[in-house]
Amino acid sequence: MPDTKKVVLITGASSGLGRACAAHLVSKGFTVFGTSRQPAEMPAGVQPIALDVTNDVSVEQAVTAVLAKAPRIDVLVNNAGMGVAGSLEETTIEEAKRQFEVNFFGAMRLCQQIIPVMRGQGNGRIVNISSLAGTIGLPFQALYSASKFALEGLSEALRLELEPFNIQVIVVQPGDFRTRFTASRRVVAAAQHSPVYGPRFATALQRYVSEENNGADPQLVAELLHRIILARSPRLSYRVGAWSQRFLVGLRPFLPDKLLIRLLASYYNL
Ligand SMILES: NC(=O)c1ccc[n+]([C@@H]2O[C@H](COP(=O)([O-])OP(=O)(O)OC[C@H]3O[C@@H](n4cnc5c(N)ncnc54)[C@H](OP(=O)(O)O)[C@@H]3O)[C@@H](O)[C@H]2O)c1
């Protein structure tokens, strides 16, 4: 099948990385379905699908809606996500579960619905949007990092499980990008006036916000996704974003733990 006839489903295509990916693939001639909780917000040419990734029924209905319009789903991009920030000590279990419901179980729900479709058609690609924070635990974003580490583990295991079915699983690890992610971040309730972590949390959060506001252009991720879809034999993982951030993560296996912790503490002014 020519690549441009492929059907791509992108979750969280109303904004940021997902929106850029959806618009770019449409411009390359792909059939693109984009999801949102408010599907009216899709870029031109992207077929809107209503989806809340935290809801089982919504996921089933979204996949049914795509299959009513397209004969197959060649590429699933699990992109929908959000960030929870605050000290681990002050994060409630409910707040932590919310983080995992969107970033981890959301992707799992989509995989469970779409793997049978891909097995039936004899091929497919699942691209999970992780983060560089899924390779290094970030202070005051412990639950966000944990959700992305979990997604990394899921992806690595799933790649092997699906190998006999000609379905490849790929992880994309973005650094900081300018998107609505910063505005949508949820600060845990107890962190708003924390007597213990207040100043350090505020300093770290300020740093995250500034890095994201000055982050890379989402178009970079869109172009990478296009290359991944076209690749004959895609790798398990791809880093994308500022060179300095990718470099630090690349150095990680060679750095003594003490040095890594000192570098991170100084980077986030902790
Ligand atoms: N921006 C960065 O610096 C950065 C860095 C590394 C990784 N990432 C990852 O990139 C992915 C995209 O984030 P972004 O930066 O593009 O943020 P964004 O601009 O806030 O976009 C997030 C998307 O996720 C969707 N979404 C959020 N909660 C959802 C839910 N419960 N059900 C369905 N869709 C939901 C939103 O759709 P609606 O609100 O319209 O439903 C929106 O389209 C996330 O997985 C994020 O963790 C971002």
Side-chain angles (χ1 to χ4, degrees):
M1 182 203 300
D3 283 317
T4 51
K5 294 269 183 238
K6 286 187 171 162
V7 177
V8 183
L9 171 61
I10 303 177
T11 68
S14 60
S15 159
L17 306 187
R19 186 179 182 89
C21 289
H24 188 62
L25 292 182
V26 164
S27 79
K28 297 290 175 190
F30 290 84
T31 300
V32 181
F33 292 87
T35 82
S36 162
R37 288 165 296 178
Q38 289 94 32
E41 292 184 21
M42 281 307 127
V46 176
Q47 303 193 47
I49 300 285
L51 171 66
D52 180 343
V53 298
T54 66
N55 182 307
D56 292 346
V57 175
S58 175
V59 174
E60 279 174 38
Q61 287 174 343
V63 174
T64 304
V66 174
L67 291 173
K69 294 182 178 170
R72 45 192 295 122
I73 299 173
D74 297 289
V75 184
L76 162 66
V77 183
N78 277 314
N79 165 76
M82 48 80 77
V84 166
S87 71
L88 181 97
E89 184 184 339
E90 293 164 326
T91 303
T92 65
I93 295 295
E94 279 316 306
E95 287 166 330
K97 281 183 175 168
R98 174 73 194 167
Q99 178 69 94
F100 270 75
E101 273 299 333
V102 180
N103 290 11
F104 179 76
F105 290 110
M108 179 175 163
R109 286 186 183 93
L110 267 297
C111 286
Q112 287 187 328
Q113 289 295 317
I114 288 177
I115 288 166
V117 177
M118 290 180 170
R119 274 196 295 102
Q121 67 200 22
N123 56 41
R125 267 177 203 182
I126 299 174
V127 182
N128 290 330
I129 306 296
S130 174
S131 171
L132 291 183
T135 66
I136 286 190
L138 294 183
F140 300 110
Q141 297 206 67
L143 268 301
Y144 178 68
S145 271
S147 71
K148 294 298 189 180
F149 269 76
L151 187 62
E152 296 266 339
L154 173 150
S155 305
E156 196 170 325
L158 192 59
R159 177 138 174 153
L160 285 168
E161 289 180 19
L162 297 184
E163 200 177 47
F165 307 114
N166 195 24
I167 301 170
Q168 288 96 30
V169 180
I170 298 112
V171 170
V172 172
Q173 300 162 335
D176 287 316
F177 281 81
R178 292 185 301 277
T179 68
R180 234 162 45 193
F181 184 87
T182 312
S184 303
R185 175 181 281 121
R186 291 194 185 185
V187 171
V188 304
Q192 319 269 0
H193 312 284
S194 167
V196 182
Y197 297 99
R200 286 170 72 226
F201 172 56
T203 312
L205 188 59
Q206 209 173 21
R207 180 80 197 211
Y208 290 128
V209 168
S210 141
E211 294 285 306
E212 288 156 9
N213 287 340
N214 294 301
D217 183 345
Q219 183 64 16
L220 274 183
V221 178
E223 287 166 12
L224 172 62
L225 176 63
H226 185 216
R227 289 198 298 280
I228 289 171
I229 293 173
L230 298 186
R232 192 179 288 268
S233 178
R235 303 203 307 259
L236 171 62
S237 65
Y238 295 81
R239 291 179 202 134
V240 58
W243 178 88
S244 54
Q245 296 180 342
R246 288 183 286 127
F247 182 67
L248 178 64
V249 167
L251 266 187
R252 184 191 176 146
F254 311 104
L255 287 180
D257 290 345
K258 265 189 184 166
L259 182 56
L260 177 73
I261 285 167
R262 219 178 296 149
L263 277 175
L264 286 173
S266 115
Y267 191 75
Y268 292 109
N269 301 320
L270 299 174

